[in-house]
Amino acid sequence: MVLGRLLAPYITAIFTSAPSRIDRVLSPIENWIYRLLGVDPTRGMGWKEYFLSAVIVNIFQMSLAFIIFVFQNILPLNPQGFPGLSLDLAFMQVISFATNTNLQHYNGEGVCSSLPNCPSLSSMPSMPGLSYLSQMTAVQFLQFASAATGLCVAVAMVRGFVSRSQNMGNFYTDFVRSLTRLFLPLCFVAALIFVGLGVPQTIGGYQTVTTVEGATQTILVGPVASLVSIMQMGTNGGGYYGANSAYPFQNPNPASDIFQILLMLLVPTSLCFVFGQLLGKRREARPIIIGAYSLFALDLLLAFIPSYGLGRGIEVRFGGFFSTFWTVVTTAVTTGSVNANLAGMNPLVILSAFMGMLIQSTPGGEGVGLMYMVMYVVITVFIVGLMSGRTPEYLGMKISARDVKLVMITFLVHPVIILVPTVLAYATGAASAVRVSTGSTGFTRIFYEFTSAAANNGSDFLGAAGNTPFFNISTALVMFIGRFAPIGLLLALAGSMINRKRSTEIGLRTDSITFTIVLVGSILLLVVLTFFPFLALGPILEFFQKRVNGF
């Protein structure tokens, strides 16, 4: 939290065009990019133009990545000779990376066909992998772009609530500045630290070596450090390897493990403070930051109720404590990276992970977490207004019926896109096709898959086993809707706040501890009432079934 607070003024300066020493270096580069794009960086946008600009840019980026994935077999930097991805898998993966989800239905290290470079992997031809070019361009490029998009739309939303604001800013200016001034320099430093901690960064191809015992072993290396830096700082998740950060080369030791946890929390925490700084009312950030971390503390409490020993799938390098802590963090900020097998976790740990993904603001993903927290604030203000008989107000502005409709539709998007495909997976036989049972454990796996996709989290139980047309297409649609529908609705909410009349009278104090307590209670009540029956069929039932004496 301390690091996040220190970074917050810098992020605020990026989006307020405050003069800085780096302008002399970066401004000419940024202006050249604006001329190349043919945009006017000084022209403000309304919410519709801002949203459409973000969607169009992301679709264009997805198109480029799709081409790279499908034709990686004939493109350079493919020393392993990986074939191109199938159309449905490539379709799913470009949406996954572009929506900040990074759900992976493939093993990144894959199966080599150019023998004898990877002889030990040649017996699994059904496992697709990614070439160095795909990892460095399609994957890492989209990870930077998706993180920047989330940050931009969050700042644009806050601008709508700022007093005397005339527009929501310019998406292209925000997008370029967030890349050149925040993510690229910070990730460059983080990548160097990872290299120092033992994470590989090379395009020299896999290496075959002879072990001390005289056996042959293939060393799976590549541009890993650069990918890990943006996947964690951008709350992307995913990973270079199929085992993600449980793989020794991606997460070699406890120091790299702790550093990755800090990177995941850094920017989402900073944005809670940025909210108050952009508004010019720092006290208004209190319910955001306190509420987010109160919910995070409840998730931790729930996860650490059971013992956290070394179970199946838990890495001995980190132990049960850090594996459990990582799982709570990665779902609280919707990153989705893992450092242990989720199947080896206690059901209460999985329940805690569900809570982080369903709430999405503890403190949530890159930018979107802040947007959801503001949504919850508006809902809470409305509920308090109904209880007290007063017209609901926030920041001196009256909350209209249209505002309430927008936030409630935003909230209801996720139950629909999670529960409908979960039911379809069983009704169509898609779940049984990937050998998922109909019991509580199997239901948890399918429910988790679509919850992770809708929350743009990306951690899952299926992994490469989910590489089927049904799961590729269904999760792709869920990820796209789960990403852009809430963004569009909440930008519409913020856009309606511009030039709205503001009262000078002190109404409901939204910066008080009392309001924060009501906010946390409202969030828990909404989420529990909506999803409790399905959680009861999954991790809760599984927890009691695994107890020696049952209930």
Side-chain angles (χ1 to χ4, degrees):
M1 189 179 294
V2 175
L3 292 176
R5 188 167 188 173
L6 293 175
L7 183 62
Y10 177 68
I11 297 178
T12 302
I14 290 175
F15 292 102
T16 55
S17 299
S20 63
R21 296 179 179 179
I22 62 175
D23 282 342
R24 296 180 181 178
V25 177
L26 294 180
S27 290
I29 299 174
E30 292 167 351
N31 290 332
W32 178 82
I33 295 174
Y34 300 141
R35 289 194 298 271
L36 181 65
L37 296 175
V39 299
D40 180 5
T42 62
R43 186 176 66 85
M45 296 180 175
W47 76 266
K48 292 181 181 179
E49 185 179 4
Y50 199 100
F51 174 65
L52 287 176
S53 299
V55 173
I56 292 171
V57 167
N58 276 267
I59 290 177
F60 176 74
Q61 294 165 349
M62 284 188 274
S63 301
L64 295 178
F66 182 84
I67 294 172
I68 294 173
F69 282 148
V70 172
F71 296 104
Q72 70 173 3
N73 59 311
I74 61 175
L75 292 173
L77 291 178
N78 186 15
Q80 291 82 19
F82 290 135
L85 301 187
S86 63
L87 295 180
D88 60 302
L89 179 58
F91 173 74
M92 177 268 179
Q93 292 304 157
V94 295
I95 292 180
S96 178
F97 291 118
T99 57
N100 205 244
T101 309
N102 289 241
L103 183 66
Q104 294 172 294
H105 286 171
Y106 67 91
N107 286 339
E109 65 272 32
V111 180
C112 297
S113 59
S114 296
L115 302 179
N117 197 23
C118 299
S120 62
L121 302 179
S122 59
S123 61
M124 299 183 295
S126 62
M127 296 293 184
L130 293 187
S131 67
Y132 288 159
L133 181 69
S134 295
Q135 295 278 19
M136 291 190 298
T137 55
V139 174
Q140 292 184 43
F141 168 68
L142 290 179
Q143 286 180 330
F144 275 100
S146 64
T149 299
L151 185 60
C152 292
V153 295
V155 171
M157 181 184 181
V158 177
R159 288 187 182 126
F161 287 88
V162 174
S163 177
R164 295 185 297 276
S165 177
Q166 300 299 316
N167 53 67
M168 307 192 77
N170 186 293
F171 172 76
Y172 301 104
T173 302
D174 295 340
F175 187 74
V176 172
R177 289 172 71 92
S178 62
L179 287 173
T180 58
R181 303 185 180 220
L182 182 66
F183 290 114
L184 285 173
L186 290 184
C187 288
F188 178 78
V189 175
L192 292 179
I193 295 174
F194 279 123
V195 171
L197 292 173
V199 179
Q201 180 72 20
T202 178
I203 56 174
Y206 295 172
Q207 303 296 319
T208 301
V209 298
T210 302
T211 64
V212 176
E213 294 84 2
T216 300
Q217 180 179 352
T218 302
I219 307 299
L220 311 177
V221 294
V224 184
S226 58
L227 187 146
V228 175
S229 62
I230 183 57
M231 71 173 258
Q232 304 294 32
M233 186 174 295
T235 65
N236 291 283
Y240 187 89
Y241 303 99
N244 208 275
S245 288
Y247 201 88
F249 287 170
Q250 186 167 310
N251 193 10
N253 48 58
S256 64
D257 192 72
I258 295 173
F259 184 54
Q260 291 187 48
I261 291 175
L262 292 176
L263 288 182
M264 284 190 272
L265 292 168
L266 180 60
V267 179
T269 303
S270 298
L271 290 178
C272 296
F273 296 102
V274 170
F275 176 76
Q277 293 174 4
L278 287 174
L279 288 177
K281 300 178 179 179
R282 296 175 184 265
R283 292 174 62 91
E284 291 295 339
R286 290 182 179 179
I288 303 292
I289 188 69
I290 296 175
Y293 272 92
S294 296
L295 293 166
F296 179 71
L298 290 175
D299 284 346
L300 282 176
L301 179 63
L302 179 63
F304 282 110
I305 288 177
S307 60
Y308 46 83
L310 285 175
R312 177 174 55 89
I314 304 299
E315 288 294 313
V316 295
R317 289 172 294 135
F318 314 125
F321 176 85
F322 277 109
S323 296
T324 301
F325 187 73
W326 179 296
T327 302
V328 176
V329 171
T330 196
T331 48
V333 296
T334 65
T335 302
S337 58
V338 295
N339 72 344
N341 187 352
L342 292 178
M345 295 289 182
N346 187 283
L348 289 186
V349 180
I350 301 302
L351 178 61
S352 174
F354 269 114
M355 293 302 293
M357 292 187 293
L358 295 174
I359 295 174
Q360 297 192 76
S361 53
T362 58
E366 202 83 5
V368 180
L370 174 62
M371 298 179 76
Y372 270 95
M373 185 57 83
V374 175
M375 177 196 76
Y376 287 125
V377 169
V378 173
I379 293 176
T380 303
V381 166
F382 175 70
I383 294 174
V384 172
L386 291 178
M387 295 173 63
S388 61
R390 295 171 55 93
T391 301
E393 294 183 359
Y394 182 50
L395 301 175
M397 297 177 290
K398 295 186 183 300
I399 302 300
S400 66
R402 178 178 180 273
D403 300 332
V404 177
K405 290 177 182 177
L406 285 173
V407 295
M408 290 311 302
I409 293 174
T410 304
F411 177 78
L412 292 173
V413 164
H414 280 87
V416 173
I417 63 176
I418 291 172
L419 302 180
V420 170
T422 299
V423 173
L424 288 176
Y426 283 102
T428 60
S432 59
V434 292
R435 299 181 180 179
V436 174
S437 68
T438 57
S440 61
T441 302
F443 180 79
T444 298
R445 294 178 64 185
I446 300 299
F447 185 40
Y448 194 102
E449 178 82 6
F450 291 108
T451 301
S452 179
N456 301 131
N457 176 257
S459 61
D460 73 318
F461 285 88
L462 297 182
N467 182 22
T468 66
F470 175 85
F471 283 106
N472 285 338
I473 295 174
S474 61
T475 53
L477 295 176
V478 169
M479 288 185 288
F480 191 86
I481 298 172
R483 173 72 165 179
F484 291 107
I487 286 177
L489 291 167
L490 292 177
L491 285 180
L493 170 69
S496 68
M497 298 293 176
I498 295 177
N499 295 324
R500 184 174 295 191
K501 184 179 179 181
R502 297 174 185 260
S503 173
T504 56
E505 298 180 4
I506 299 177
L508 176 66
R509 289 284 303 275
T510 55
D511 59 354
S512 64
I513 295 297
T514 302
F515 179 79
T516 304
I517 295 173
V518 176
L519 173 64
V520 172
S522 300
I523 295 172
L524 290 174
L525 187 64
L526 284 169
V527 173
V528 169
L529 286 178
T530 303
F531 291 101
F532 181 78
F534 303 92
L535 294 173
L537 290 174
I540 296 177
L541 178 59
E542 186 180 358
F543 169 74
F544 286 110
Q545 287 177 335
K546 289 185 175 181
R547 292 176 63 88
V548 176
N549 297 319
F551 289 91

